[in-house]
Amino acid sequence: MKKGSQIKKYVVGTGVVLLITILVCYTKREEGVLSENRSLVRKENGMGEYEKAEAIMSDAASRFNSLYYLRNPSVALIDNNALLSNLGAVYFNMSEYEKAKDTFLKQLAALNSYEAMGVQMLDNATFHEALCCNNLGYLHYVTGDYTESVDYYLRALHVYEALFEKYPDVYRIEVARTSTNISGSLLAIGHLDEAMSFADKAIDHYEIEYQGNPEGCREAFALALKYKADALVVKDDTSALNVYDRAALIAPDASILCSKAEVMDAKGCAYVKFGKKKLAKKAYKVVIGLSPEFYSTHDTILKDLFSE
Protein backbone atom coordinates (compact mmCIF):
# COMPACT_ATOMS: atom_id res chain seq x y z
CA MET A 1 0.00 0.00 0.00
CA LYS A 2 2.82 2.31 0.97
CA LYS A 3 4.71 1.53 -2.24
CA GLY A 4 1.57 2.14 -4.33
CA SER A 5 1.11 5.53 -2.64
CA GLN A 6 4.70 6.50 -3.42
CA ILE A 7 4.27 5.50 -7.05
CA LYS A 8 1.08 7.56 -7.24
CA LYS A 9 2.84 10.61 -5.81
CA TYR A 10 5.72 10.09 -8.25
CA VAL A 11 3.36 9.86 -11.20
CA VAL A 12 1.42 12.94 -10.10
CA GLY A 13 4.63 14.89 -9.48
CA THR A 14 6.06 13.85 -12.82
CA GLY A 15 2.81 14.84 -14.52
CA VAL A 16 2.86 18.28 -12.90
CA VAL A 17 6.49 18.82 -13.95
CA LEU A 18 5.67 17.68 -17.49
CA LEU A 19 2.64 19.99 -17.64
CA ILE A 20 4.68 22.96 -16.43
CA THR A 21 7.41 22.14 -18.98
CA ILE A 22 4.83 21.96 -21.78
CA LEU A 23 3.26 25.27 -20.70
CA VAL A 24 6.67 26.98 -20.52
CA CYS A 25 7.64 25.71 -23.98
CA TYR A 26 4.24 26.66 -25.39
CA THR A 27 4.47 30.14 -23.85
CA LYS A 28 7.98 30.71 -25.22
CA ARG A 29 6.98 29.53 -28.67
CA GLU A 30 3.87 31.71 -28.76
CA GLU A 31 5.77 34.71 -27.41
CA GLY A 32 8.29 34.26 -30.21
CA VAL A 33 5.48 34.28 -32.77
CA LEU A 34 3.94 37.36 -31.13
CA SER A 35 7.26 39.18 -31.35
CA GLU A 36 7.62 38.21 -35.01
CA ASN A 37 4.04 39.33 -35.69
CA ARG A 38 4.73 42.77 -34.20
CA SER A 39 7.72 43.20 -36.50
CA LEU A 40 5.74 42.00 -39.52
CA VAL A 41 2.77 44.27 -38.88
CA ARG A 42 5.03 47.33 -38.59
CA LYS A 43 6.63 46.39 -41.92
CA GLU A 44 3.32 45.74 -43.72
CA ASN A 45 1.73 48.86 -42.24
CA GLY A 46 4.70 50.96 -43.33
CA MET A 47 4.45 49.57 -46.86
CA GLY A 48 0.73 50.29 -47.08
CA GLU A 49 -0.25 46.60 -47.00
CA TYR A 50 -3.00 47.25 -44.49
CA GLU A 51 -5.11 44.15 -45.12
CA LYS A 52 -2.08 41.90 -44.59
CA ALA A 53 -1.26 43.84 -41.42
CA GLU A 54 -4.83 43.40 -40.17
CA ALA A 55 -4.67 39.62 -40.74
CA ILE A 56 -1.36 39.40 -38.86
CA MET A 57 -2.76 41.40 -35.94
CA SER A 58 -5.88 39.21 -35.78
CA ASP A 59 -3.64 36.16 -35.45
CA ALA A 60 -1.59 37.96 -32.80
CA ALA A 61 -4.75 38.79 -30.83
CA SER A 62 -5.78 35.13 -30.82
CA ARG A 63 -2.34 34.03 -29.62
CA PHE A 64 -2.25 36.74 -26.96
CA ASN A 65 -5.61 35.64 -25.52
CA SER A 66 -4.39 32.05 -25.26
CA LEU A 67 -1.35 33.22 -23.28
CA TYR A 68 -3.09 35.80 -21.09
CA TYR A 69 -3.34 33.78 -17.85
CA LEU A 70 0.12 32.22 -18.25
CA ARG A 71 2.07 35.46 -18.16
CA ASN A 72 3.27 38.10 -15.74
CA PRO A 73 0.51 40.78 -15.55
CA SER A 74 2.96 43.64 -16.18
CA VAL A 75 4.38 41.90 -19.26
CA ALA A 76 0.86 41.10 -20.49
CA LEU A 77 -0.06 44.77 -20.05
CA ILE A 78 2.75 45.99 -22.29
CA ASP A 79 2.13 43.34 -24.97
CA ASN A 80 -1.64 43.89 -25.02
CA ASN A 81 -1.00 47.61 -25.33
CA ALA A 82 1.35 47.09 -28.28
CA LEU A 83 -1.11 44.74 -29.97
CA LEU A 84 -4.07 47.12 -29.70
CA SER A 85 -1.96 50.16 -30.60
CA ASN A 86 -0.70 48.50 -33.79
CA LEU A 87 -4.15 47.23 -34.73
CA GLY A 88 -5.68 50.68 -34.16
CA ALA A 89 -3.01 52.22 -36.40
CA VAL A 90 -3.78 49.68 -39.13
CA TYR A 91 -7.49 50.48 -39.01
CA PHE A 92 -6.72 54.21 -39.06
CA ASN A 93 -4.55 53.83 -42.15
CA MET A 94 -7.37 51.88 -43.80
CA SER A 95 -9.72 54.82 -42.99
CA GLU A 96 -11.75 52.44 -40.82
CA TYR A 97 -12.13 55.18 -38.24
CA GLU A 98 -14.84 53.56 -36.10
CA LYS A 99 -12.81 50.35 -35.81
CA ALA A 100 -9.71 52.40 -35.00
CA LYS A 101 -11.60 54.33 -32.34
CA ASP A 102 -13.01 51.15 -30.75
CA THR A 103 -9.54 49.58 -30.71
CA PHE A 104 -7.86 52.61 -29.13
CA LEU A 105 -10.65 52.80 -26.53
CA LYS A 106 -10.08 49.11 -25.69
CA GLN A 107 -6.39 49.90 -25.29
CA LEU A 108 -7.14 52.80 -22.96
CA ALA A 109 -9.62 50.74 -20.93
CA ALA A 110 -7.06 47.95 -20.54
CA LEU A 111 -4.44 50.38 -19.26
CA ASN A 112 -6.91 51.86 -16.77
CA SER A 113 -8.14 48.43 -15.61
CA TYR A 114 -4.63 47.28 -14.82
CA GLU A 115 -4.12 50.34 -12.66
CA ALA A 116 -7.42 49.70 -10.84
CA MET A 117 -6.39 46.07 -10.23
CA GLY A 118 -3.28 47.27 -8.44
CA VAL A 119 -0.79 46.22 -11.10
CA GLN A 120 2.20 48.56 -10.99
CA MET A 121 1.91 51.10 -13.79
CA LEU A 122 5.45 51.59 -15.03
CA ASP A 123 6.51 54.89 -16.58
CA ASN A 124 6.64 53.02 -19.89
CA ALA A 125 3.00 51.96 -19.56
CA THR A 126 2.01 55.47 -18.49
CA PHE A 127 3.70 56.82 -21.60
CA HIS A 128 1.61 54.46 -23.72
CA GLU A 129 -1.54 55.72 -22.00
CA ALA A 130 -0.61 59.22 -23.20
CA LEU A 131 0.24 57.89 -26.66
CA CYS A 132 -3.17 56.21 -26.87
CA CYS A 133 -4.91 59.48 -25.90
CA ASN A 134 -2.84 61.26 -28.55
CA ASN A 135 -3.97 58.72 -31.15
CA LEU A 136 -7.59 59.24 -30.15
CA GLY A 137 -7.08 63.01 -30.26
CA TYR A 138 -5.70 62.82 -33.79
CA LEU A 139 -8.44 60.44 -34.91
CA HIS A 140 -11.11 62.90 -33.71
CA TYR A 141 -9.23 65.76 -35.36
CA VAL A 142 -9.17 63.96 -38.71
CA THR A 143 -12.89 63.18 -38.48
CA GLY A 144 -13.72 66.80 -37.61
CA ASP A 145 -14.67 66.32 -33.95
CA TYR A 146 -12.32 69.02 -32.69
CA THR A 147 -13.79 69.43 -29.20
CA GLU A 148 -13.36 65.72 -28.45
CA SER A 149 -9.90 65.96 -29.97
CA VAL A 150 -8.93 68.68 -27.49
CA ASP A 151 -10.19 66.56 -24.57
CA TYR A 152 -8.01 63.57 -25.48
CA TYR A 153 -4.99 65.74 -26.24
CA LEU A 154 -5.34 67.40 -22.82
CA ARG A 155 -5.39 63.97 -21.16
CA ALA A 156 -2.20 63.08 -23.00
CA LEU A 157 -0.58 66.38 -22.05
CA HIS A 158 -1.37 65.82 -18.36
CA VAL A 159 0.52 62.51 -18.46
CA TYR A 160 3.44 63.90 -20.47
CA GLU A 161 3.84 66.85 -18.12
CA ALA A 162 4.01 64.49 -15.13
CA LEU A 163 6.69 62.44 -16.92
CA PHE A 164 8.47 65.66 -17.95
CA GLU A 165 8.93 66.52 -14.27
CA LYS A 166 10.88 63.27 -13.86
CA TYR A 167 12.66 63.12 -17.21
CA PRO A 168 12.70 66.61 -18.78
CA ASP A 169 15.18 65.81 -21.54
CA VAL A 170 13.15 62.80 -22.68
CA TYR A 171 9.61 64.18 -22.50
CA ARG A 172 10.07 67.85 -23.45
CA ILE A 173 9.45 66.98 -27.09
CA GLU A 174 6.22 65.11 -26.20
CA VAL A 175 4.90 68.06 -24.19
CA ALA A 176 5.72 70.34 -27.14
CA ARG A 177 4.11 68.09 -29.76
CA THR A 178 0.94 67.56 -27.75
CA SER A 179 0.65 71.29 -27.03
CA THR A 180 0.96 71.87 -30.78
CA ASN A 181 -1.83 69.37 -31.43
CA ILE A 182 -4.08 71.10 -28.91
CA SER A 183 -3.37 74.44 -30.55
CA GLY A 184 -4.41 73.08 -33.96
CA SER A 185 -7.69 71.68 -32.64
CA LEU A 186 -8.52 74.89 -30.75
CA LEU A 187 -7.75 76.91 -33.86
CA ALA A 188 -10.18 74.73 -35.84
CA ILE A 189 -13.05 75.61 -33.47
CA GLY A 190 -12.15 79.30 -33.34
CA HIS A 191 -10.74 79.47 -29.80
CA LEU A 192 -7.96 81.79 -30.92
CA ASP A 193 -6.51 82.99 -27.62
CA GLU A 194 -6.32 79.47 -26.21
CA ALA A 195 -4.82 78.22 -29.47
CA MET A 196 -2.11 80.87 -29.27
CA SER A 197 -1.46 80.06 -25.61
CA PHE A 198 -0.79 76.38 -26.36
CA ALA A 199 1.24 77.31 -29.45
CA ASP A 200 3.40 79.57 -27.27
CA LYS A 201 3.80 76.74 -24.74
CA ALA A 202 4.96 74.44 -27.53
CA ILE A 203 7.29 77.08 -28.98
CA ASP A 204 8.99 77.62 -25.60
CA HIS A 205 9.80 73.91 -25.40
CA TYR A 206 10.85 73.70 -29.05
CA GLU A 207 13.25 76.61 -28.57
CA ILE A 208 15.18 74.44 -26.08
CA GLU A 209 14.79 71.16 -27.98
CA TYR A 210 15.87 72.75 -31.26
CA GLN A 211 19.29 73.64 -29.85
CA GLY A 212 20.29 70.02 -29.39
CA ASN A 213 17.95 68.19 -31.76
CA PRO A 214 17.06 70.45 -34.71
CA GLU A 215 16.16 67.69 -37.17
CA GLY A 216 14.07 65.84 -34.61
CA CYS A 217 11.68 68.74 -34.07
CA ARG A 218 12.00 70.95 -37.15
CA GLU A 219 8.62 70.07 -38.70
CA ALA A 220 6.65 70.23 -35.45
CA PHE A 221 8.37 73.49 -34.41
CA ALA A 222 7.39 75.07 -37.74
CA LEU A 223 3.81 73.81 -37.30
CA ALA A 224 3.50 75.41 -33.84
CA LEU A 225 4.74 78.72 -35.26
CA LYS A 226 2.31 78.42 -38.18
CA TYR A 227 -0.63 77.78 -35.85
CA LYS A 228 0.26 80.88 -33.85
CA ALA A 229 0.56 82.96 -37.02
CA ASP A 230 -2.75 81.57 -38.37
CA ALA A 231 -4.51 82.67 -35.18
CA LEU A 232 -2.94 86.12 -35.41
CA VAL A 233 -4.14 86.49 -39.00
CA VAL A 234 -7.72 85.73 -37.97
CA LYS A 235 -7.33 88.40 -35.28
CA ASP A 236 -6.13 90.86 -37.99
CA ASP A 237 -2.73 91.14 -36.31
CA THR A 238 0.01 91.81 -38.87
CA SER A 239 2.68 90.49 -36.48
CA ALA A 240 1.64 87.13 -37.95
CA LEU A 241 3.91 87.89 -40.91
CA ASN A 242 7.02 87.86 -38.72
CA VAL A 243 5.95 84.55 -37.18
CA TYR A 244 5.47 83.06 -40.65
CA ASP A 245 9.00 84.23 -41.52
CA ARG A 246 10.41 82.30 -38.56
CA ALA A 247 8.37 79.22 -39.47
CA ALA A 248 9.59 79.36 -43.09
CA LEU A 249 13.22 79.45 -41.93
CA ILE A 250 12.72 76.33 -39.81
CA ALA A 251 10.33 74.27 -41.98
CA PRO A 252 11.89 71.68 -44.33
CA ASP A 253 11.25 71.92 -48.08
CA ALA A 254 9.39 68.61 -48.03
CA SER A 255 7.28 67.45 -45.12
CA ILE A 256 3.99 65.70 -44.38
CA LEU A 257 3.57 67.72 -41.19
CA CYS A 258 4.53 71.27 -42.17
CA SER A 259 6.58 72.14 -45.25
CA LYS A 260 8.04 75.49 -46.26
CA ALA A 261 5.54 75.63 -49.15
CA GLU A 262 2.63 75.32 -46.70
CA VAL A 263 4.01 78.12 -44.55
CA MET A 264 4.54 80.40 -47.56
CA ASP A 265 1.04 79.58 -48.83
CA ALA A 266 -0.41 80.70 -45.49
CA LYS A 267 1.77 83.80 -45.59
CA GLY A 268 0.55 84.57 -49.11
CA CYS A 269 -3.06 84.36 -47.91
CA ALA A 270 -2.18 86.69 -45.02
CA TYR A 271 -0.65 89.23 -47.43
CA VAL A 272 -3.84 89.16 -49.50
CA LYS A 273 -5.97 89.71 -46.39
CA PHE A 274 -3.78 92.62 -45.29
CA GLY A 275 -3.96 94.18 -48.78
CA LYS A 276 -0.32 93.51 -49.71
CA LYS A 277 -0.85 91.86 -53.08
CA LYS A 278 2.65 92.48 -54.43
CA LEU A 279 4.13 90.68 -51.45
CA ALA A 280 1.50 87.96 -51.86
CA LYS A 281 2.68 87.36 -55.44
CA LYS A 282 6.25 87.10 -54.20
CA ALA A 283 5.24 84.56 -51.55
CA TYR A 284 3.32 82.44 -54.05
CA LYS A 285 6.26 82.42 -56.46
CA VAL A 286 8.26 80.80 -53.66
CA VAL A 287 5.44 78.27 -53.13
CA ILE A 288 5.31 77.37 -56.84
CA GLY A 289 9.10 77.05 -56.94
CA LEU A 290 9.00 74.59 -54.03
CA SER A 291 5.87 72.77 -55.16
CA PRO A 292 5.05 73.23 -58.88
CA GLU A 293 1.86 71.16 -58.61
CA PHE A 294 0.49 73.83 -56.28
CA TYR A 295 -0.37 76.02 -59.28
CA SER A 296 -2.63 73.42 -60.88
CA THR A 297 -4.64 72.94 -57.67
CA HIS A 298 -4.98 76.67 -56.99
CA ASP A 299 -5.04 77.99 -60.56
CA THR A 300 -8.19 80.13 -60.22
CA ILE A 301 -6.93 82.04 -57.17
CA LEU A 302 -3.44 82.50 -58.58
CA LYS A 303 -4.67 83.60 -62.03
CA ASP A 304 -6.77 86.30 -60.42
CA LEU A 305 -3.85 87.42 -58.27
CA PHE A 306 -1.23 87.44 -61.01
CA SER A 307 -3.56 89.07 -63.57
CA GLU A 308 -3.71 92.27 -61.52
Side-chain angles (χ1 to χ4, degrees), residues 135-302:
N135 287 337
L136 282 162
Y138 185 58
L139 189 152
H140 283 288
Y141 179 85
V142 168
T143 55
D145 190 352
Y146 303 118
T147 301
E148 196 77 11
S149 173
V150 170
D151 290 342
Y152 278 113
Y153 281 144
L154 284 171
R155 286 181 64 178
L157 183 62
H158 176 74
V159 175
Y160 285 138
E161 287 182 328
L163 291 169
F164 174 73
E165 292 299 318
K166 294 181 181 180
Y167 316 104
D169 292 339
V170 176
Y171 287 100
R172 175 176 287 107
I173 189 68
E174 301 300 341
V175 172
R177 284 171 179 161
T178 307
S179 298
T180 303
N181 293 339
I182 295 170
S183 178
S185 293
L186 288 168
L187 187 62
I189 54 179
H191 293 187
L192 304 179
D193 290 332
E194 290 179 86
M196 288 173 59
S197 177
F198 278 100
D200 281 332
K201 181 187 186 76
I203 290 165
D204 288 343
H205 284 292
Y206 285 133
E207 294 284 8
I208 298 170
E209 185 74 18
Y210 192 72
Q211 301 305 312
N213 182 29
E215 294 307 317
C217 69
R218 184 182 298 277
E219 297 170 275
F221 191 1
L223 184 61
L225 288 163
K226 181 180 176 296
Y227 282 155
K228 179 178 180 178
D230 290 345
L232 288 168
V233 169
V234 178
K235 292 168 72 69
D236 293 320
D237 189 334
T238 57
S239 67
L241 298 171
N242 293 329
V243 183
Y244 281 133
D245 285 340
R246 179 85 194 282
L249 286 172
I250 292 171
D253 289 348
S255 167
I256 296 174
L257 194 60
C258 184
S259 68
K260 188 172 293 185
E262 290 176 272
V263 174
M264 294 305 293
D265 175 28
K267 189 180 180 184
C269 289
Y271 276 136
V272 171
K273 180 175 183 179
F274 297 141
K276 302 177 185 240
K277 292 190 176 181
K278 286 185 179 180
L279 292 173
K281 290 179 184 179
K282 186 177 178 180
Y284 280 119
K285 284 180 181 178
V286 173
V287 175
I288 295 168
L290 291 166
S291 182
E293 67 275 9
F294 180 88
Y295 189 89
S296 62
T297 57
H298 296 73
D299 59 335
T300 303
I301 298 171
L302 294 178

